[in-house]
Amino acid sequence: MQVSSLLQQLDPSHLTAPHRSLPRAVHCWREEQLTNQLQVPVLKSRDTEAKEKGGLLCDLVSEQDNHQLNSRSPVHVWGDFVDCMESERSQRMGNACIPLKRIAYFLCLLSALLLTEGKKPAKPKCPAVCTCTKDNALCENARSIPRTVPPDVISLDLRGNSFNCDCKLKWLVEWLGHTNATVEDIYCEGPPEYKKRKINSLSSKDFDCIITEFAKSQDLPYQSLSIDTFSYMNDEYVVIAQPFTGKCIFLEWDHVEKTFRNYDNITGTSTVVCKPIVIETQLYVIVAQLFGGSHIYKRDSFANKFIKIQDIEILKIRKPNDIETFKIENNWYFVVADSSKAGFTTIYKWNGNGFYSHQSLHAWYRDTDVEYLEIARTPQALRTPHLILSSSSQRPVIYQWNKATQLFINQTDIPNMEDVYAVKHFSVKGDVYICLTRFIGDSKVMKWGGSSFQDIQRMPSRGSMVFQPLQINNYQYAILGSDYSFTQVYNWDVEKAKFVKFQELNVQAPRSFTHVSINKRNFLFASSFKGNTQIYKHVIVDLSA
């Protein structure tokens, strides 16, 4: 609302309204009366601006100060009521107080408007590459159009421009879809798939401007093998197996420093796996060691520490290499893959008081990895539990759960895949896939076809000991580590139904990759057998912003 328009609408009768008191007052007094008095900021009216002496000076003062100035103030103005006190000088001036009434009223009204009205947003300026009038904008020979096109233009002339229709132009496509302005037909010069296509015909869906990357976030100054994450008592934790110090290091998220910090540890000897499992509200940790036997620890909430409650039979588990936990029909299990010549891959079952040997599998085959997954034998059948055991001495073997006997039975193997170090699975739109890691030869991606796994994709993988699929939000990745080159990160292409190269990471001798989600932040933990354990943050970038 403009001040001038308000003043024009004022009724002269307002000047004779009943006396009322407001928080602030306007006082007018003679200039000579200010001599040797308290100096206060002074505003001159237009009528008195030309008078060098003897005029009236006006000031806005508080109601408290008003009492001190009444004795020397010939004019008092309260709100919209003006009281002109008679004096010799005012009598000589005749009607001099009348314009003062209007000035005082204007000052009061202006003060109220300044207090009640906020700053209005600045009107967008015309882009430097354009020429703008009140309703029109002409942008010639511009390779790109800034976002500062005035919103009230009714005609936008973009002829004579060569536009590359990439993410930087997405805003213009969205603007064209919502504006009522007249815009001449303009065409894309690139990229090739959009060449000679009308920009007016594009939509925001034609632009894929959201990209992701893994950005280095934190270094942990120690080597590691396995990394796992778990939820306990409404908090998220990470546990890392350190083979050279023999410890299981537990980390928690520091909400102030925004980093991971040490929480607790379990000390052992040549630790290769620290596997957490939470049963009801109790936390247990299975600690697999190359020497000194493997053990099970319990978190004592009263003592606030881990207490060893059970040893794992050393005659069966001689050289553990991997541990997998799973739940079938409300029963908790874990299975240990044993890689020794005389050991047994063994399944343990929770009986309410501890874990006890339930079934031994694949004796003397030097298993290096075990993976639990659920697959259906026919499209109409329900998915049933399966185990896939990887071995350095034969092809991966698939076991199927038998509900009647409550045991896993040998079903089949994966043909033409010798020397597979590990198998990990993932799902896309209900289909089950597996990533098979090979140290020598090509690693593979295979898809479950109902009775067997079928080849989908091959990746060169000399020196690889980990090929880990993981999902972060709606993004499906697969990370292929190598002892001899950079780690390759692949992103799943929905249209091609395969992985495409996405990013390279520099990790020395990686052994595992683990997704950790905390406080809507997503991290990638990369273990290293020869260097520091690394933490990457999953970053989403909008190229159209």
Side-chain angles (χ1 to χ4, degrees):
M1 182 178 296
Q2 300 298 324
V3 174
S4 59
S5 62
L6 283 176
L7 291 176
Q8 293 174 1
Q9 299 175 16
L10 290 177
D11 190 334
S13 63
H14 293 174
L15 299 178
T16 59
H19 182 87
R20 77 178 85 171
S21 179
L22 293 177
R24 296 180 63 83
V26 178
H27 301 271
C28 299
W29 58 87
R30 294 193 183 97
E31 187 178 66
E32 57 266 21
Q33 288 180 298
L34 292 178
T35 306
N36 298 324
Q37 298 295 326
L38 176 65
Q39 297 297 316
V40 295
V42 174
L43 296 174
K44 291 184 179 181
S45 68
R46 290 184 177 180
D47 293 337
T48 60
E49 190 73 34
K51 297 181 178 62
E52 297 180 355
K53 292 183 179 180
L56 296 178
L57 302 180
C58 297
D59 181 32
L60 287 173
V61 297
S62 66
E63 185 176 359
Q64 180 180 359
D65 296 333
N66 173 57
H67 299 296
Q68 300 175 2
L69 297 174
N70 276 344
S71 60
R72 55 184 174 85
S73 300
V75 179
H76 298 275
V77 182
W78 294 93
D80 51 10
F81 176 79
V82 181
D83 180 18
C84 293
M85 302 179 69
E86 293 294 331
S87 66
E88 293 181 0
R89 186 167 182 81
S90 64
Q91 290 175 356
R92 289 197 301 268
M93 294 176 64
N95 295 329
C97 202
I98 295 177
L100 290 178
K101 295 178 181 180
R102 299 181 182 274
I103 295 171
Y105 192 86
F106 169 78
L107 291 175
C108 291
L109 182 60
L110 179 61
S111 300
L113 288 174
L114 291 176
L115 291 173
T116 57
E117 289 190 4
K119 291 185 178 180
K120 294 183 179 180
K123 185 178 180 180
K125 297 181 180 180
C126 182
V129 296
C130 303
T131 302
C132 300
T133 61
K134 181 179 180 181
D135 298 325
N136 302 281
L138 173 62
C139 306
E140 290 185 308
N141 301 319
R143 299 186 63 87
S144 63
I145 304 298
R147 298 170 183 260
T148 55
V149 174
D152 54 351
V153 298
I154 61 175
S155 178
L156 179 61
D157 193 341
L158 300 175
R159 291 174 295 179
N161 298 293
S162 299
F163 291 113
N164 187 35
C165 297
D166 56 11
C167 289
K168 294 182 179 179
L169 206 69
K170 181 180 177 181
W171 77 269
L172 180 59
V173 172
E174 294 176 340
W175 183 81
L176 291 174
H178 295 88
T179 185
N180 292 323
T182 301
V183 183
E184 298 291 339
D185 288 341
I186 47 178
Y187 298 85
C188 300
E189 290 298 323
E193 59 267 27
Y194 294 147
K195 189 175 178 64
K196 301 303 179 183
R197 184 171 173 181
K198 288 183 181 180
I199 295 181
N200 315 54
S201 68
L202 298 175
S203 68
S204 58
K205 296 180 180 179
D206 294 318
F207 297 87
D208 185 11
C209 299
I210 305 298
I211 65 170
T212 62
E213 67 173 349
F214 291 98
K216 191 71 167 295
S217 174
Q218 190 176 348
D219 259 353
L220 303 178
Y222 44 76
Q223 295 86 3
S224 58
L225 280 179
S226 72
I227 301 177
D228 279 280
T229 180
F230 63 96
S231 299
Y232 178 63
M233 303 293 288
N234 298 321
D235 281 317
E236 296 293 326
Y237 298 91
V238 179
V239 56
I240 303 175
Q242 296 180 322
F244 299 109
T245 62
K247 293 182 178 180
C248 294
I249 298 293
F250 293 83
L251 304 179
E252 65 177 352
W253 178 250
D254 189 322
H255 294 272
V256 177
E257 298 296 332
K258 307 301 181 185
T259 58
F260 290 91
R261 65 185 180 190
N262 287 346
Y263 169 71
D264 206 341
N265 67 82
I266 297 174
T267 303
T269 306
S270 61
T271 304
V272 293
V273 182
C274 304
K275 196 71 175 181
I277 179 172
V278 179
I279 300 177
E280 295 179 352
T281 60
Q282 182 60 57
L283 171 64
Y284 301 92
V285 182
I286 305 132
V287 180
Q289 302 181 143
L290 295 180
F291 306 102
S294 298
H295 314 284
I296 301 175
Y297 289 79
K298 172 184 177 180
R299 182 67 180 180
D300 191 321
S301 57
F302 295 102
N304 198 29
K305 64 179 182 180
F306 289 98
I307 300 174
K308 186 169 69 173
I309 61 169
Q310 186 179 342
D311 295 328
I312 297 177
E313 46 196 344
I314 195 171
L315 294 179
K316 291 185 178 181
I317 307 301
R318 297 174 179 267
K319 193 179 179 181
N321 205 69
D322 186 35
I323 298 177
E324 187 83 353
T325 61
F326 53 93
K327 187 178 183 180
I328 302 177
E329 298 175 358
N330 295 322
N331 292 314
W332 280 101
Y333 301 85
F334 74 84
V335 53
V336 182
D338 189 89
S339 59
S340 67
K341 294 181 179 179
F344 297 83
T345 292
T346 305
I347 301 172
Y348 293 84
K349 180 180 179 180
W350 172 255
N351 70 350
N353 297 312
F355 291 93
Y356 294 93
S357 178
H358 179 74
Q359 182 183 3
S360 292
L361 304 170
H362 221 218
W364 309 310
Y365 275 103
R366 302 176 64 182
D367 296 326
T368 55
D369 180 82
V370 56
E371 178 76 352
Y372 174 83
L373 71 164
E374 295 182 357
I375 53 178
R377 287 291 169 176
T378 63
Q380 293 77 23
L382 296 176
R383 291 187 177 185
T384 57
H386 287 72
L387 292 176
I388 301 179
L389 300 183
S390 302
S391 173
S392 58
S393 59
Q394 71 174 63
R395 293 172 294 198
V397 179
I398 302 175
Y399 287 82
Q400 182 179 0
W401 177 256
N402 187 303
K403 189 174 182 179
T405 62
Q406 299 287 293
L407 298 172
F408 284 95
I409 57 174
N410 191 335
Q411 189 70 29
T412 184
D413 62 11
I414 300 177
N416 304 318
M417 283 301 296
E418 288 76 12
D419 299 322
V420 172
Y421 182 80
V423 174
K424 303 298 177 184
H425 84 284
F426 66 98
S427 297
V428 175
K429 294 183 178 180
D431 294 322
V432 178
Y433 299 81
I434 56 175
C435 293
L436 300 93
T437 312
R438 300 175 75 184
F439 192 82
I440 300 175
D442 292 341
S443 293
K444 281 188 178 183
V445 178
M446 306 184 78
K447 178 182 178 180
W448 178 250
S451 58
S452 62
F453 284 99
Q454 304 166 357
D455 285 1
I456 294 296
Q457 191 174 3
R458 291 172 176 261
M459 280 85 163
S461 59
R462 179 175 175 267
S464 177
M465 298 186 72
V466 55
F467 188 16
Q468 180 66 53
L470 52 89
Q471 185 173 4
I472 301 178
N473 298 328
N474 295 324
Y475 301 95
Q476 179 65 56
Y477 300 101
I479 307 178
L480 182 63
S482 174
D483 284 8
Y484 307 127
S485 62
F486 288 103
T487 291
Q488 300 294 329
V489 181
Y490 296 88
N491 189 19
W492 182 261
D493 189 310
V494 177
E495 293 183 358
K496 297 179 180 178
K498 62 174 58 179
F499 286 107
V500 295
K501 280 190 177 182
F502 169 72
Q503 186 179 353
E504 288 185 344
L505 304 177
N506 187 11
V507 184
Q508 297 184 51
R511 292 296 180 267
S512 67
F513 297 99
T514 305
H515 169 221
V516 178
S517 179
I518 293 181
N519 282 0
K520 297 182 179 180
R521 295 178 173 88
N522 292 285
F523 298 92
L524 173 68
F525 276 67
S527 69
S528 173
F529 187 66
K530 296 181 180 180
N532 289 343
T533 300
Q534 299 182 23
I535 305 175
Y536 295 86
K537 185 177 181 180
H538 185 254
V539 180
I540 300 177
V541 181
D542 186 354
L543 296 179
S544 67

PDB file of all heavy atoms in Angstrom, residues 131-144:
ATOM      1  N   THR A 131      17.482  -7.898 -23.603  1.00  0.00           N
ATOM      2  CA  THR A 131      16.966  -6.536 -23.574  1.00  0.00           C
ATOM      3  C   THR A 131      15.493  -6.617 -23.194  1.00  0.00           C
ATOM      4  O   THR A 131      14.709  -7.294 -23.860  1.00  0.00           O
ATOM      5  CB  THR A 131      17.122  -5.856 -24.937  1.00  0.00           C
ATOM      6  OG1 THR A 131      18.506  -5.861 -25.311  1.00  0.00           O
ATOM      7  CG2 THR A 131      16.616  -4.432 -24.880  1.00  0.00           C
ATOM      8  N   CYS A 132      15.133  -5.910 -22.127  1.00  0.00           N
ATOM      9  CA  CYS A 132      13.783  -6.037 -21.595  1.00  0.00           C
ATOM     10  C   CYS A 132      13.072  -4.693 -21.622  1.00  0.00           C
ATOM     11  O   CYS A 132      13.662  -3.649 -21.328  1.00  0.00           O
ATOM     12  CB  CYS A 132      13.794  -6.574 -20.165  1.00  0.00           C
ATOM     13  SG  CYS A 132      14.541  -8.207 -19.992  1.00  0.00           S
ATOM     14  N   THR A 133      11.813  -4.733 -21.990  1.00  0.00           N
ATOM     15  CA  THR A 133      10.908  -3.605 -21.817  1.00  0.00           C
ATOM     16  C   THR A 133       9.914  -3.988 -20.733  1.00  0.00           C
ATOM     17  O   THR A 133      10.112  -4.982 -20.026  1.00  0.00           O
ATOM     18  CB  THR A 133      10.199  -3.269 -23.140  1.00  0.00           C
ATOM     19  OG1 THR A 133       9.420  -4.406 -23.552  1.00  0.00           O
ATOM     20  CG2 THR A 133      11.212  -2.922 -24.224  1.00  0.00           C
ATOM     21  N   LYS A 134       8.816  -3.239 -20.646  1.00  0.00           N
ATOM     22  CA  LYS A 134       7.858  -3.538 -19.584  1.00  0.00           C
ATOM     23  C   LYS A 134       7.262  -4.920 -19.717  1.00  0.00           C
ATOM     24  O   LYS A 134       7.112  -5.642 -18.729  1.00  0.00           O
ATOM     25  CB  LYS A 134       6.752  -2.480 -19.606  1.00  0.00           C
ATOM     26  CG  LYS A 134       5.701  -2.666 -18.520  1.00  0.00           C
ATOM     27  CD  LYS A 134       4.649  -1.588 -18.574  1.00  0.00           C
ATOM     28  CE  LYS A 134       3.606  -1.798 -17.468  1.00  0.00           C
ATOM     29  NZ  LYS A 134       2.546  -0.758 -17.518  1.00  0.00           N
ATOM     30  N   ASP A 135       6.920  -5.316 -20.932  1.00  0.00           N
ATOM     31  CA  ASP A 135       6.223  -6.587 -21.132  1.00  0.00           C
ATOM     32  C   ASP A 135       6.985  -7.569 -22.008  1.00  0.00           C
ATOM     33  O   ASP A 135       6.513  -8.682 -22.227  1.00  0.00           O
ATOM     34  CB  ASP A 135       4.843  -6.340 -21.765  1.00  0.00           C
ATOM     35  CG  ASP A 135       3.945  -5.489 -20.877  1.00  0.00           C
ATOM     36  OD1 ASP A 135       4.045  -5.641 -19.653  1.00  0.00           O
ATOM     37  OD2 ASP A 135       3.175  -4.690 -21.430  1.00  0.00           O
ATOM     38  N   ASN A 136       8.124  -7.173 -22.543  1.00  0.00           N
ATOM     39  CA  ASN A 136       8.821  -8.014 -23.512  1.00  0.00           C
ATOM     40  C   ASN A 136      10.276  -8.206 -23.124  1.00  0.00           C
ATOM     41  O   ASN A 136      10.879  -7.353 -22.455  1.00  0.00           O
ATOM     42  CB  ASN A 136       8.749  -7.394 -24.912  1.00  0.00           C
ATOM     43  CG  ASN A 136       7.327  -7.192 -25.375  1.00  0.00           C
ATOM     44  OD1 ASN A 136       6.680  -8.123 -25.814  1.00  0.00           O
ATOM     45  ND2 ASN A 136       6.834  -5.953 -25.262  1.00  0.00           N
ATOM     46  N   ALA A 137      10.823  -9.349 -23.528  1.00  0.00           N
ATOM     47  CA  ALA A 137      12.235  -9.649 -23.316  1.00  0.00           C
ATOM     48  C   ALA A 137      12.801 -10.226 -24.610  1.00  0.00           C
ATOM     49  O   ALA A 137      12.248 -11.178 -25.169  1.00  0.00           O
ATOM     50  CB  ALA A 137      12.420 -10.633 -22.171  1.00  0.00           C
ATOM     51  N   LEU A 138      13.899  -9.629 -25.100  1.00  0.00           N
ATOM     52  CA  LEU A 138      14.566 -10.078 -26.325  1.00  0.00           C
ATOM     53  C   LEU A 138      15.945 -10.589 -25.945  1.00  0.00           C
ATOM     54  O   LEU A 138      16.767  -9.839 -25.417  1.00  0.00           O
ATOM     55  CB  LEU A 138      14.678  -8.928 -27.331  1.00  0.00           C
ATOM     56  CG  LEU A 138      15.504  -9.199 -28.594  1.00  0.00           C
ATOM     57  CD1 LEU A 138      14.872 -10.329 -29.405  1.00  0.00           C
ATOM     58  CD2 LEU A 138      15.641  -7.946 -29.434  1.00  0.00           C
ATOM     59  N   CYS A 139      16.193 -11.886 -26.195  1.00  0.00           N
ATOM     60  CA  CYS A 139      17.476 -12.513 -25.851  1.00  0.00           C
ATOM     61  C   CYS A 139      18.046 -13.128 -27.127  1.00  0.00           C
ATOM     62  O   CYS A 139      17.617 -14.218 -27.546  1.00  0.00           O
ATOM     63  CB  CYS A 139      17.291 -13.570 -24.775  1.00  0.00           C
ATOM     64  SG  CYS A 139      16.456 -12.978 -23.277  1.00  0.00           S
ATOM     65  N   GLU A 140      19.003 -12.446 -27.728  1.00  0.00           N
ATOM     66  CA  GLU A 140      19.597 -12.912 -28.978  1.00  0.00           C
ATOM     67  C   GLU A 140      21.042 -13.326 -28.757  1.00  0.00           C
ATOM     68  O   GLU A 140      21.762 -12.749 -27.924  1.00  0.00           O
ATOM     69  CB  GLU A 140      19.550 -11.804 -30.035  1.00  0.00           C
ATOM     70  CG  GLU A 140      18.152 -11.498 -30.551  1.00  0.00           C
ATOM     71  CD  GLU A 140      18.178 -10.477 -31.667  1.00  0.00           C
ATOM     72  OE1 GLU A 140      18.795  -9.405 -31.472  1.00  0.00           O
ATOM     73  OE2 GLU A 140      17.604 -10.757 -32.731  1.00  0.00           O
ATOM     74  N   ASN A 141      21.468 -14.341 -29.543  1.00  0.00           N
ATOM     75  CA  ASN A 141      22.854 -14.807 -29.524  1.00  0.00           C
ATOM     76  C   ASN A 141      23.314 -15.166 -28.110  1.00  0.00           C
ATOM     77  O   ASN A 141      24.429 -14.882 -27.707  1.00  0.00           O
ATOM     78  CB  ASN A 141      23.787 -13.755 -30.115  1.00  0.00           C
ATOM     79  CG  ASN A 141      23.416 -13.428 -31.547  1.00  0.00           C
ATOM     80  OD1 ASN A 141      23.081 -14.311 -32.328  1.00  0.00           O
ATOM     81  ND2 ASN A 141      23.480 -12.144 -31.886  1.00  0.00           N
ATOM     82  N   ALA A 142      22.425 -15.773 -27.366  1.00  0.00           N
ATOM     83  CA  ALA A 142      22.753 -16.209 -26.001  1.00  0.00           C
ATOM     84  C   ALA A 142      22.848 -17.725 -25.967  1.00  0.00           C
ATOM     85  O   ALA A 142      21.947 -18.419 -26.406  1.00  0.00           O
ATOM     86  CB  ALA A 142      21.680 -15.730 -25.028  1.00  0.00           C
ATOM     87  N   ARG A 143      23.961 -18.219 -25.451  1.00  0.00           N
ATOM     88  CA  ARG A 143      24.141 -19.677 -25.391  1.00  0.00           C
ATOM     89  C   ARG A 143      23.304 -20.292 -24.272  1.00  0.00           C
ATOM     90  O   ARG A 143      22.998 -21.465 -24.287  1.00  0.00           O
ATOM     91  CB  ARG A 143      25.618 -20.017 -25.186  1.00  0.00           C
ATOM     92  CG  ARG A 143      26.506 -19.506 -26.319  1.00  0.00           C
ATOM     93  CD  ARG A 143      27.924 -20.000 -26.145  1.00  0.00           C
ATOM     94  NE  ARG A 143      27.991 -21.456 -26.229  1.00  0.00           N
ATOM     95  CZ  ARG A 143      28.125 -22.136 -27.365  1.00  0.00           C
ATOM     96  NH1 ARG A 143      28.177 -21.480 -28.511  1.00  0.00           N
ATOM     97  NH2 ARG A 143      28.180 -23.448 -27.365  1.00  0.00           N
ATOM     98  N   SER A 144      22.966 -19.485 -23.281  1.00  0.00           N
ATOM     99  CA  SER A 144      22.100 -19.946 -22.200  1.00  0.00           C
ATOM    100  C   SER A 144      21.299 -18.766 -21.680  1.00  0.00           C
ATOM    101  O   SER A 144      21.710 -17.616 -21.821  1.00  0.00           O
ATOM    102  CB  SER A 144      22.920 -20.570 -21.056  1.00  0.00           C
ATOM    103  OG  SER A 144      23.779 -19.595 -20.482  1.00  0.00           O
TER     104      SER A 144
END
